[in-house]
Amino acid sequence: MTNKAFFPILLLILLLTACVTENHDTEVILRKEAIPIITNVETNYPEKEGWIVIPTDSTELNVTVEATNAETLLFWAVPTGTETWGERELIGYDTNGNDGWKITWDIAGKSLHQHVIVQALGSDGMTITDETLNITNE
């Protein structure tokens, strides 16, 4: 007698489970729209064989970035080599892309042979995209 009552309940639970669906497509689309995208990074010095070559008597390095879906851009100087991220130095940040994303770094008297990492923090507060520039003195 209990078996007869059990099967209809089991069938009802299976049908309800099959009818309930979750649509994660909207969430995925919103996340993709919030991912920051860096489309261009430029400096006021020329690039030669993958390195931005800066004359030793230079006093400023200007970095200009084109990015979308970004809330803040961070600019880091990281020594060349392996596992050097812990030795990074924050050289600037920009929180207002309305006038373009950019910084001016005072390099007067500095010996340069490092990476400048540009990090775009997403407007969703969770995503990060980055680009790397290799810089060196002439």
Side-chain angles (χ1 to χ4, degrees), residues 7-76:
F7 287 114
I9 293 173
L10 182 60
L11 183 59
L12 179 63
I13 291 172
L14 286 173
L15 286 173
L16 288 174
T17 307
C19 293
V20 177
T21 61
E22 293 184 32
N23 187 351
H24 294 288
D25 293 340
T26 304
E27 186 178 334
V28 170
I29 290 169
L30 290 175
R31 279 192 193 153
K32 284 183 181 176
E33 289 177 1
I35 294 174
I37 300 169
I38 297 174
T39 54
N40 191 35
V41 180
E42 292 184 1
T43 71
N44 52 324
Y45 297 101
E47 182 178 330
K48 181 180 177 184
E49 298 176 5
W51 288 83
I52 305 298
V53 180
I54 302 172
T56 52
D57 60 345
S58 300
T59 58
E60 293 182 340
L61 172 67
N62 299 319
V63 182
T64 307
V65 180
E66 292 176 20
T68 56
N69 301 327
E71 185 173 291
T72 301
L73 263 65
L74 302 175
F75 299 82
W76 301 94

